[in-house]
Amino acid sequence: MPISRLGLVVHGGRPEAVSGGETVRRWCARQGIGCFDIDVWQGQGSRRSGRDEVRAAGSPDLIVTLGGDGTFLRGARIAAKKNIKVLGVDLGKVGFLTETAVTEVEQALDAVHAERSECEERMTLTMRASKLLELPTDLEQFLCYGRGPALPPPPPQPDPTQDDGWGIALDVTALNDIVVEKLARDHQVALGVYIAGRLLASYSADGVIVATPTGSTAYSFAAGGPVLSPRMRAVIFTPVAAHMAFNRTVIANADEPVVLRVLPHSGRAAVSVDGQPRGILDPGDWIGVTAAPQPLRLVRLNPANFYGRLRERMRLTDAPATAADGEAPLFLPGRPAPDDRHPRVR
């Protein structure tokens, strides 16, 4: 479907992003397409939720982000609320999420408008909790130091389920991860971790990460977790600096919820969504993380090349062994693997 209404998320602190935003606005004007600035900022000193942003922009059918992966995440959380496609525009660095260079944004929009692009679906996470989350005013400045004002605490879903043992359904969408971590440097957080309704272990750690396959290359990777293909549907649990012998990642199926309960002897813990602080948990509180019903729809102009991006981002091409690298054997794009159950006899 051609573009009829476009939302624009711009990293205002980067001149090339601001310039790229003007290019997108001019393209929209030439095409007679409505273009609306859409962001989680609402004036100085306050912020609003992604659902409010979608409503304010009139539910566009494409969101374009100009910045790095952080800016993309801001736009993605908004887009996933209403199943909106998102196109990430990169500013010169290799990103796992962005799709096109800022110098080629007009050609990319031409391709999307002419329906010469594809959509790649990425799994997202949502969250329930034993209580509504909030950031106490005495901790907000500490947790958000250097970031500007915090996002508002996650509100309940518009039609939350009544008390059925599942907790409060929160309006949360995470593309990368949901993290529970300690507040004080000299106190680890103590958590009981339940996967698929069964206790896995009790952890004393700096924090724990529940990530998507997309988020496997973010904080979870930095904490020693594995890299997963973003095409998978799985929930990744990775402890951070755990004081116990079993400090490995556990990968659960997408339909197996991960519950994190703050144990009675623990201090308070902070909850963040895609790196944004969203609330505080006290001893006895818990959150449950599950795969969200709605995926994120990424615009792809070319066939997905996740492993090529992985090579570039992690500098794997610097290894001496790659000097002999050539065309991959046993792989023909667009064709299924042969059926070897009945091999031909020569």
Side-chain angles (χ1 to χ4, degrees):
M1 166 179 268
I3 304 168
S4 60
R5 193 176 184 91
L6 185 146
L8 194 57
V9 179
V10 179
H11 191 307
R14 302 183 66 172
E16 61 268 49
V18 175
S19 174
E22 291 301 320
T23 300
V24 174
R25 293 185 185 94
R26 289 193 296 268
W27 182 90
C28 287
R30 291 196 302 269
Q31 302 292 335
I33 294 170
C35 182
F36 300 86
D37 287 312
I38 184 171
D39 200 351
V40 290
W41 290 98
Q42 184 186 16
Q44 185 64 31
S46 64
R47 303 185 77 174
R48 61 186 176 186
S49 70
R51 197 175 293 274
D52 289 338
E53 285 291 344
V54 170
R55 189 179 302 113
S59 297
D61 47 22
L62 176 70
I63 289 178
V64 176
T65 72
L66 289 111
D69 280 355
T71 304
F72 182 89
L73 286 170
R74 290 158 62 188
R77 289 193 297 271
I78 297 168
K81 301 293 184 186
K82 290 289 186 178
N83 201 32
I84 301 169
K85 295 185 294 185
V86 60
L87 171 66
V89 180
D90 195 68
L91 303 181
K93 295 182 179 179
V94 177
F96 279 110
L97 300 173
T98 49
E99 176 65 11
T100 189
V102 67
T103 55
E104 300 174 355
V105 65
E106 290 182 288
Q107 297 94 311
L109 290 171
D110 286 339
V112 176
H113 194 48
E115 302 182 77
R116 298 195 309 269
S117 63
E118 302 291 334
C119 267
E120 176 186 346
E121 292 191 348
R122 295 287 184 92
M123 174 186 149
T124 61
L125 298 173
T126 190
M127 182 169 65
R128 286 178 173 251
S130 57
K131 67 175 185 181
L132 288 174
L133 300 181
E134 59 181 359
L135 283 175
T137 54
D138 60 330
L139 289 175
E140 180 176 338
Q141 185 175 7
F142 166 73
L143 290 173
C144 302
Y145 180 78
R147 300 170 183 247
L151 280 166
Q157 289 283 4
D159 297 311
T161 304
Q162 298 299 317
D163 186 11
D164 57 0
W166 286 87
I168 299 171
L170 299 179
D171 187 12
V172 167
T173 300
L175 178 60
N176 270 351
D177 49 47
I178 294 174
V179 178
V180 177
E181 55 195 332
K182 66 182 185 180
L183 281 176
R185 182 178 180 184
D186 59 342
H187 285 85
Q188 291 195 314
V189 65
L191 299 169
V193 177
Y194 301 77
I195 299 181
R198 296 289 186 269
L199 177 66
L200 173 68
S202 295
Y203 286 82
S204 178
D206 283 0
V208 296
I209 305 163
V210 183
T212 64
T214 297
S216 69
T217 54
Y219 189 12
S220 177
F221 177 82
V227 174
L228 273 67
S229 166
R231 297 174 58 186
M232 295 179 64
R233 285 184 52 82
V235 178
I236 307 162
F237 166 76
T238 301
V240 182
H243 279 210
M244 58 187 299
F246 184 75
N247 59 358
R248 300 294 191 267
T249 293
V250 175
I251 300 174
N253 198 46
D255 62 357
E256 296 176 321
V258 178
V259 177
L260 311 173
R261 186 199 301 274
V262 183
L263 299 178
H265 61 278
S266 175
R268 303 168 85 189
V271 179
S272 63
V273 177
D274 283 344
Q276 296 287 326
R278 302 303 298 274
I280 298 295
L281 297 178
D282 293 307
D285 295 336
W286 57 265
I287 63 167
V289 181
T290 60
Q294 74 279 5
L296 176 69
R297 300 171 66 210
L298 296 184
V299 172
R300 290 303 189 207
L301 306 174
N302 299 297
N305 185 22
F306 169 72
Y307 299 105
R309 294 180 186 218
L310 184 66
R311 279 169 54 97
E312 294 292 331
R313 189 64 176 263
M314 301 304 177
R315 300 181 182 273
L316 302 182
T317 53
D318 292 344
T322 61
D325 184 35
E327 186 175 339
L330 200 67
F331 180 69
L332 298 174
R335 293 173 57 181
D339 186 348
D340 289 339
R341 290 176 298 177
H342 305 290
R344 289 181 299 173
V345 178
R346 293 185 178 180

